[in-house]
Amino acid sequence: MLVVKKFGGTSVADKERIFNVANRCIEDYKKGHDVVVVLSAMGKYTDELISMAQDINPRPPKREMDMLFTIGEQMSVALMAMAMNQLGVSAVSLNAFQVTMRTTSAYGNARLKRIDTERIRTELECRKIVIVTGFQGINKYDDYTTLGRGGSDTTAVALAAALRADSCEIYTDVDGVYTADPRLVPSARKLKEITYDEMLDLSTLGAGVLHNRSVEMAKKYGVPLVVRSSLNNRPGTLVKEDAKVERMLVSGVALDRNADRVAIIGLKDEPGIAFKVFDCLAKKNINVDVILQSIGRDGTKDISFTVDDGNIEETVETLEENRGRLSFDRIESETKIAKLSIVGAGMISHPGVAAKMFETLYNENININMISTSEIRVTVLIKDSDADRAINAVHDAFGLAE
Ligand code: ADP
Ligand code: ASP
Ligand code: MG
């Protein structure tokens, strides 16, 4: 049996935690399993690297950021291999170059394309525990890339798929996937199971417990995931194709505080304008979310949308650069906003779910800026200062509380 086990930053934050993880992996190894471990940088080390970079250059080149980021993961895998050796087990650490994990060229937001499994297989055949750096890859220029914040989950799932692993376990600092972030919503309940589709929406909409691309990849390759705590032995949450849970109308609530809103005011009301706006952003690799277009009046219209806060400056700059081609009056941006979403496969067949969410927010006297929906989710944009109150009220209104 081959197992892939991924441990996040808090799980390897200090010496004691590193030995805790080493022991958990050795337990599997001693049962005769092949063990592949994926690690994140220790604690908040990636954030520290960002501060160090910004202290030197407030807008560092993305290539150099990735070069810097890779240190974090490289440090934790080497220390882990040392800990396992100290415990008498043969282990080897490998980075993206050594494994050869190819990605697209987009620095800071690369996608995995191909993973060579040969080196890992060879090491496993020598009965070593193989410890791989999460989050990083290499592109066609042989430069380091990273997969986006939280990307180690995706490394783990991709490795599990490439190695046809029997299980892929994501160990973190909470007991599993909850109906909402348990740090924000004290009454949140742990889910026994959740479908890929629901998890994909939750993670895309702000539930940082799993990197959204890891869920996308798990669904594509049919890799069942277990999310559980590295600090206890509780069973965790299973993420899979069909989850046999009591079908709740809404299975989770997510909050994304990293979204900023951009409004382009006074665009020409003619065919092709939306295409031009989003095409110039796409060319810069800027992901756009909730989009709202006003009804045209006097030959002009407005388009608003949200982007990740790390992209706000580049978004405004790109639009300004294309001012001639797009022709608009002005751009407004707003940063103190939050995106609140409810997700649940049960919504498809139940009208009134959105109305209930709006009513709950109305009762809390919370104003909604923008709305976006799909078959299994409703998203609203609200003021960041209302976010804590809103998520708790909506969570409890749908009967999700413990
Ligand atoms: P790791 O470093 O292990 O990858 P992360 O910080 O990326 O850990 O993810 C775990 C965190 O995700 C938890 O501490 C929790 O605050 C947050 N979180 C957000 N939404 C959820 C949710 N629905 N269920 C569980 N945890 C969530
Ligand atoms: N260390 C990276 C981050 O902090 C990747 C990860 O933790 O998954 O975003
Ligand atoms: Mg994470």
Side-chain angles (χ1 to χ4, degrees), residues 261-315:
R261 188 165 80 110
V262 178
I264 316 175
I265 315 286
L267 281 157
K268 246 192 238 140
D269 190 16
E270 62 181 31
I273 279 292
F275 161 68
K276 285 182 193 160
V277 167
F278 295 112
D279 182 54
C280 68
L281 297 175
K283 286 200 171 112
K284 291 271 174 85
N285 251 316
I286 297 171
N287 264 330
V288 170
D289 198 22
V290 189
I291 300 175
L292 189 77
Q293 178 176 300
S294 71
I295 292 175
R297 57 183 140 60
D298 306 329
T300 68
K301 65 185 172 193
D302 310 332
I303 293 182
S304 329
F305 54 89
T306 59
V307 292
D308 215 58
D309 55 6
N311 287 330
I312 184 77
E313 285 173 23
E314 203 180 354
T315 301

Side-chain angles (χ1 to χ4, degrees), residues 309-375:
D309 55 6
N311 287 330
I312 184 77
E313 285 173 23
E314 203 180 354
T315 301
V316 174
E317 257 173 40
T318 306
L319 294 171
E320 288 292 356
E321 277 164 22
N322 286 277
R323 198 179 189 115
R325 198 159 78 98
L326 300 174
S327 117
F328 51 82
D329 274 355
R330 64 181 195 282
I331 297 171
E332 286 174 4
S333 56
E334 197 183 345
T335 53
K336 290 194 172 61
I337 56 154
K339 222 162 63 178
L340 176 70
S341 307
I342 53 174
V343 171
M347 269 183 224
I348 296 181
S349 45
H350 286 85
V353 174
K356 183 164 178 174
M357 182 183 192
F358 304 153
E359 183 190 11
T360 308
L361 294 172
Y362 166 63
N363 289 338
E364 290 286 323
N365 201 17
I366 291 170
N367 191 40
I368 301 172
N369 269 323
M370 272 161 101
I371 300 169
S372 141
T373 64
S374 83
E375 276 184 321

Side-chain angles (χ1 to χ4, degrees), residues 6 150 153 208-209:
K6 180 261 170 181
D153 300 328
V209 62

Side-chain angles (χ1 to χ4, degrees), residues 60 181 195 202 241 245 269-270 272 299 311 336 352 377:
D181 186 340
T195 65
L202 280 177
E241 188 61 52
V245 267
D269 190 16
E270 62 181 31
N311 287 330
K336 290 194 172 61
R377 72 168 171 89

Side-chain angles (χ1 to χ4, degrees), residues 95-106 110-117 135-147 154-155 158-159 162 217:
N95 69 10
F97 227 105
Q98 293 164 315
V99 172
T100 323
M101 291 198 267
R102 290 279 168 195
T103 68
T104 56
S105 42
R111 278 178 177 266
L112 281 163
K113 283 169 69 181
R114 190 169 51 83
I115 298 184
D116 288 345
T117 52
F135 182 47
Q136 57 177 253
I138 47 169
N139 67 14
K140 61 182 175 193
Y141 311 111
D142 282 354
D143 280 343
Y144 279 112
T145 54
T146 58
L147 309 180
T154 303
T155 310
L159 275 172
M217 191 162 308

Side-chain angles (χ1 to χ4, degrees), residues 11-315:
S11 305
V12 293
D14 54 31
K15 178 177 161 187
E16 190 193 334
R17 298 261 170 99
I18 288 179
F19 275 105
N20 167 56
V21 168
N23 277 314
R24 288 194 85 132
C25 297
I26 289 172
E27 219 172 278
D28 277 3
Y29 174 85
K30 291 206 164 146
K31 287 181 194 151
H33 303 331
D34 286 329
V35 181
V36 176
V37 184
V38 174
L39 299 184
S40 296
M42 293 169 69
K44 300 243 171 280
Y45 198 68
T46 305
D47 293 325
E48 282 170 37
L49 292 172
I50 294 176
S51 314
M52 279 163 77
Q54 284 180 340
D55 193 32
I56 302 264
N57 177 345
R59 291 186 65 191
K62 287 185 177 167
R63 179 195 179 277
E64 303 310 328
M65 268 325 285
D66 283 356
M67 189 71 183
L68 185 67
F69 278 147
T70 51
I71 310 172
E73 271 62 22
Q74 207 146 307
M75 180 159 101
S76 45
V77 293
L79 291 173
M80 185 60 70
M82 292 176 199
M84 289 179 181
N85 278 281
Q86 178 68 17
L87 295 168
V89 172
S90 180
V92 61
S93 64
L94 298 174
N95 69 10
F97 227 105
Q98 293 164 315
V99 172
T100 323
M101 291 198 267
R102 290 279 168 195
T103 68
T104 56
S105 42
Y107 300 108
N109 189 27
R111 278 178 177 266
L112 281 163
K113 283 169 69 181
R114 190 169 51 83
I115 298 184
D116 288 345
T117 52
E118 207 181 308
R119 175 76 191 265
I120 296 178
R121 293 259 184 226
T122 311
E123 302 289 359
L124 289 173
E125 271 160 30
C126 300
R127 278 307 281 155
K128 286 186 186 162
I129 295 183
V130 180
I131 310 158
V132 182
T133 48
F135 182 47
Q136 57 177 253
I138 47 169
N139 67 14
K140 61 182 175 193
Y141 311 111
D142 282 354
D143 280 343
Y144 279 112
T145 54
T146 58
L147 309 180
R149 296 304 306 270
S152 298
D153 300 328
T154 303
T155 310
V157 175
L159 275 172
L163 293 162
R164 299 187 206 297
D166 299 283
S167 78
C168 183
E169 300 155 11
I170 310 286
Y171 290 85
T172 183
D173 56 4
V174 284
D175 286 358
V177 179
Y178 282 69
T179 49
D181 186 340
R183 291 179 208 285
L184 289 177
V185 182
S187 62
R189 198 162 41 86
K190 191 177 83 185
L191 298 163
K192 280 201 185 78
E193 297 184 346
I194 186 167
T195 65
Y196 290 129
D197 287 333
E198 288 171 307
M199 192 63 234
L200 184 58
D201 270 350
L202 280 177
S203 55
T204 305
L205 296 164
V209 62
L210 282 176
H211 191 230
N212 65 342
R213 292 220 185 113
S214 72
V215 186
E216 197 177 79
M217 191 162 308
K219 180 180 162 73
K220 184 166 168 196
Y221 294 102
V223 179
L225 298 180
V226 182
V227 180
R228 51 188 299 199
S229 168
S230 64
L231 301 168
N232 62 49
N233 268 321
R234 291 182 203 127
T237 304
L238 222 62
V239 187
K240 52 189 216 165
E241 188 61 52
D242 357 84
K244 288 186 218 65
V245 267
E246 1 63 276
R247 260 281 136 248
M248 299 289 287
L249 220 49
V250 169
S251 51
V253 184
L255 185 67
D256 180 357
R257 296 195 128 119
N258 298 325
D260 287 351
R261 188 165 80 110
V262 178
I264 316 175
I265 315 286
L267 281 157
K268 246 192 238 140
D269 190 16
E270 62 181 31
I273 279 292
F275 161 68
K276 285 182 193 160
V277 167
F278 295 112
D279 182 54
C280 68
L281 297 175
K283 286 200 171 112
K284 291 271 174 85
N285 251 316
I286 297 171
N287 264 330
V288 170
D289 198 22
V290 189
I291 300 175
L292 189 77
Q293 178 176 300
S294 71
I295 292 175
R297 57 183 140 60
D298 306 329
T300 68
K301 65 185 172 193
D302 310 332
I303 293 182
S304 329
F305 54 89
T306 59
V307 292
D308 215 58
D309 55 6
N311 287 330
I312 184 77
E313 285 173 23
E314 203 180 354
T315 301

